[in-house]
Amino acid sequence: MTETEVLFETRKDISDYNTSYPLHPSDWSSWKTSDRLSFDDIEDLSFYIHIPFCQSLCRYCEYIKYKKTSESIERQYLDIVDGDMRAFAEQSATGKTILRGFDIGGGTPTVLSTENFAKLIEMSAEYARRFKRAEHFKGSIEATFNTIDEDKIAIISGHSDIFSRISFGLQSTNCAFLRDNNRDNGQTQRMADIFHSCRRQGINTINLDLMYGFVNQTKEEIEATMKVVERLMPEHITVYELRTNMLNRYPIATAEQRFEQYSYLYDLIKGLGYKGRFGMNTFSLTGDNGLSSYLQHRMMKNGSYKGFGIAAQSKNDTGISYNIGKNGESLESCLSQNTFEKGGDSYRLPPRELLSKYVAISGYCGMIDLSVMEKTLHSDPNMVFEKELGFLLNNHYIEKDGMKLYLTPKGFLHYGAVLSLFYYSNVFGFYSPLGKASGKVLYDDNKEYDVGFRWDDLQGNGFIPIIDYITIVRYFIDYSSGSWTYGWLSRLIISYVK
């Protein structure tokens, strides 16, 4: 087996490899910096505001959120976001900057009181209008059916030049599942009434989020959910797989089960007339790619974006930063700072690491753009990844169409392993003349095990891990028996033997 084959085989059944990157925050520790990201010379930019409040906290949600408290706390939060946006606009708004997109997510933005929701939309629209907007600019707001009403729809409609898309989280219509996960979508008739109100007030694009990957999620449950979708017929549908990079290890279906669930959803969605390739998670009735312009700029173009609010992520062409709150700080602690721009984490990343982040999130679209890779790497990706591309193409895990690489159905089954072959973390290994190594493995049971490795048993002799901390399953060749051994590892300590 070649090194590429070994990596693929060891990763294809590891659910931690998905569209989340890095796998663990400590993977970026060596690139951490005290400097904040600069956007002074950025010509293309998108905005994102994180509203972390929710009426109830869904068990499966991995994002930073807090249970809704009081209107005064909401107002304090918005005042801080307003101040951070004002400071940014005064420093970075230039006649050259083109605003490509603007999303407001969470959390649940529409859980805010009507007065506070109006402030959110009005201040967001005000700052967006300070920038020249791209031709196909389409701002988007996340909502739930039980937190939006006619008044809030009217507020959005009053600024439809900025926000013309609403994304509703449906996820599932299985009442038992929703109840077990602290979620309530309300009655189908209310959903239909809300859709009618949105369209009557000029909201021209509505998205519905669906989810799959849950244990015991049946075809009958998927069919029932799609019956509601068929009644509503949103312009966009987004299909999310349950990711497992969460606290408490929420139980998920197997890779094969997730593949079958997605395939069934895909057939039903296509049967309603939506456009989209197998392996994508976005589908559209209107001929576009099913994304807001913010997500298109971020996922497909690897563009720069500035995030506002607790734990919001930002990116430019040199690194990524997170506002305060990403590391589990309390709401009170974050609010006490009077800005969310201080106390977070910033990372100055090498091109290969920026590329890894792009590849991971482009997995949502089921494709990777070679021209974006080249722009990010400043090198020809066909040469940098010659072995990886050869392996994936020859084994029909991906197919190439011009400058685009698309996941095939075979590749989508193990899409996490496919994407991971382009990750900078593959430098976990390096080529060495050393033929064997010994060390200790500390498993989750906190017992140390002596382990030896004969790397010359692999083709491509000498592929040796050099990282000392991982949180994923790794496979090794046992030095004494030659058999494969594996386990959930929390720490790996290796000493090298000539």
Side-chain angles (χ1 to χ4, degrees):
M1 297 174 71
T2 66
E3 297 85 31
T4 301
E5 290 173 319
V6 171
L7 284 176
F8 185 84
E9 288 300 317
T10 59
R11 293 172 176 178
K12 69 180 186 181
D13 294 319
I14 302 174
S15 59
D16 282 34
Y17 284 106
N18 48 52
T19 54
S20 178
Y21 191 89
L23 298 179
H24 191 280
S26 64
D27 294 348
W28 279 359
S29 59
S30 61
W31 293 298
K32 195 169 183 178
T33 175
S34 59
D35 297 332
R36 299 294 296 176
L37 299 185
S38 172
F39 293 88
D40 294 346
D41 299 321
I42 301 296
E43 295 184 358
D44 293 282
L45 185 64
S46 289
F47 285 162
Y48 174 80
I49 295 179
H50 186 70
I51 303 298
F53 305 110
C54 290
Q55 189 164 284
S56 58
L57 304 182
C58 299
R59 285 184 58 226
Y60 53 76
C61 179
E62 63 183 329
Y63 298 106
I64 302 298
K65 71 276 186 189
Y66 308 98
K67 193 169 176 55
K68 177 181 171 68
T69 54
S70 66
E71 291 187 24
S72 61
I73 292 295
E74 293 176 2
R75 188 72 177 198
Q76 183 182 0
Y77 184 91
L78 294 176
D79 286 342
I80 294 175
V81 172
D82 190 7
D84 288 344
M85 293 191 75
R86 183 185 309 111
F88 180 85
E90 290 174 353
Q91 178 179 346
S92 303
T94 69
K96 296 181 180 180
T97 304
I98 298 176
L99 192 62
R100 294 288 176 181
F102 196 152
D103 279 13
I104 302 178
T108 312
T110 49
V111 80
L112 300 175
S113 69
T114 301
E115 181 180 353
N116 285 331
F117 186 74
K119 174 179 172 61
L120 169 66
I121 300 304
E122 288 165 5
M123 74 181 194
S124 299
E126 174 194 345
Y127 291 119
R129 293 185 184 114
R130 296 189 186 187
F131 294 81
K132 181 180 178 181
R133 298 187 297 282
E135 180 181 357
H136 299 293
F137 180 94
K138 184 184 288 291
S140 185
I141 300 170
E142 293 180 4
T144 59
F145 289 107
N146 60 353
T147 61
I148 200 168
D149 55 28
E150 289 272 355
D151 291 338
K152 290 176 182 176
I153 294 170
I155 292 168
I156 299 170
S157 178
H159 300 277
S160 59
D161 60 320
I162 306 299
F163 299 106
S164 58
R165 182 181 187 267
I166 301 179
S167 179
F168 289 96
L170 179 64
Q171 321 309 1
S172 172
T173 59
N174 183 302
C175 294
F177 165 80
L178 295 172
R179 182 176 60 253
D180 290 345
N181 286 278
N182 302 322
R183 192 172 183 86
D184 179 22
N185 289 329
Q187 298 297 313
T188 303
Q189 183 57 53
R190 171 165 168 74
M191 298 181 201
D193 292 342
I194 290 172
F195 263 57
H196 176 73
S197 179
C198 288
R199 287 169 173 146
R200 180 171 51 81
Q201 297 198 52
I203 305 300
N204 59 28
T205 305
I206 302 176
N207 174 73
L208 275 184
D209 287 345
L210 309 178
M211 290 191 74
Y212 71 98
F214 297 98
V215 174
N216 301 322
Q217 189 174 21
T218 65
K219 288 186 175 181
E220 291 74 20
E221 178 184 337
I222 292 172
E223 287 176 359
T225 300
M226 288 304 299
K227 286 291 185 183
V228 175
V229 174
E230 184 176 11
R231 178 175 177 182
L232 300 176
M233 292 301 288
E235 286 73 25
H236 292 169
I237 296 175
T238 304
V239 177
Y240 287 107
E241 179 186 279
L242 174 67
R243 300 198 311 192
T244 60
N245 304 59
M246 311 179 188
L247 297 176
N248 302 322
R249 289 284 167 188
Y250 190 101
I252 64 167
T254 66
E256 289 73 18
Q257 290 171 331
R258 297 195 303 271
F259 181 84
E260 290 178 3
Q261 291 167 352
Y262 174 88
S263 299
Y264 196 60
L265 263 173
Y266 175 83
D267 288 341
L268 293 175
I269 291 170
K270 294 287 284 186
L272 293 179
Y274 288 85
K275 305 297 182 184
R277 294 176 63 104
F278 190 95
M280 296 177 64
N281 77 334
T282 59
F283 302 88
S284 175
L285 280 178
T286 58
D288 57 17
N289 52 32
L291 294 164
S292 69
S293 55
Y294 163 80
L295 289 176
Q296 179 174 335
H297 181 61
R298 178 180 172 182
M299 292 181 176
M300 302 184 74
K301 302 298 183 182
N302 200 26
S304 297
Y305 49 89
K306 174 61 181 157
F308 301 94
I310 285 177
Q313 181 184 131
S314 301
K315 173 193 168 296
N316 65 10
D317 57 3
T318 65
I320 287 176
S321 69
Y322 299 89
N323 285 351
I324 189 173
K326 181 68 173 176
N327 298 315
E329 296 90 344
S330 68
L331 175 61
E332 293 75 14
S333 175
C334 294
L335 292 173
S336 69
Q337 305 297 315
N338 293 318
T339 176
F340 301 132
E341 299 289 318
K342 297 180 181 179
D345 296 327
S346 291
Y347 303 91
R348 187 174 297 277
L349 300 172
R352 280 292 301 271
E353 205 53 58
L354 288 166
L355 177 75
S356 301
K357 184 68 173 177
Y358 160 69
V359 168
I361 62 172
S362 69
Y364 279 113
C365 305
M367 72 85 164
I368 305 171
D369 191 323
L370 289 169
S371 64
V372 173
M373 293 181 75
E374 183 168 2
K375 181 179 179 182
T376 305
L377 285 173
H378 312 293
S379 301
D380 183 356
N382 293 291
M383 297 181 64
V384 176
F385 298 106
E386 181 179 3
K387 291 184 300 181
E388 292 83 359
L389 289 171
F391 168 77
L392 294 172
L393 289 166
N394 291 337
N395 288 277
H396 308 292
Y397 291 115
I398 61 173
E399 59 186 18
K400 187 176 181 181
D401 184 3
M403 294 296 287
K404 304 288 179 63
L405 302 175
Y406 293 98
L407 285 170
T408 64
K410 180 182 178 182
F412 182 70
L413 174 60
H414 302 298
Y415 76 88
V418 172
L419 300 179
S420 78
L421 294 185
F422 301 99
Y423 291 173
Y424 193 42
S425 56
N426 289 343
V427 184
F428 286 172
F430 70 100
Y431 298 107
S432 165
L434 301 179
K436 56 185 178 181
S438 64
K440 293 181 180 295
V441 173
L442 181 66
Y443 286 81
D444 276 352
D445 60 5
N446 288 321
K447 295 179 180 178
E448 285 191 343
Y449 296 83
D450 289 310
V451 181
F453 314 93
R454 284 194 62 86
W455 299 105
D456 50 358
D457 287 347
L458 300 177
Q459 293 182 18
N461 168 35
F463 187 73
I464 301 177
I466 59 173
I467 192 168
D468 74 342
Y469 184 86
I470 53 180
T471 56
I472 58 175
V473 173
R474 301 283 290 184
Y475 288 78
F476 301 100
I477 294 180
D478 186 276
Y479 179 70
S480 59
S481 66
S483 62
W484 287 99
T485 62
Y486 64 94
W488 284 101
L489 311 182
S490 59
R491 187 165 181 81
L492 170 66
I493 308 169
I494 294 178
S495 60
Y496 298 102
V497 180
K498 294 185 179 179

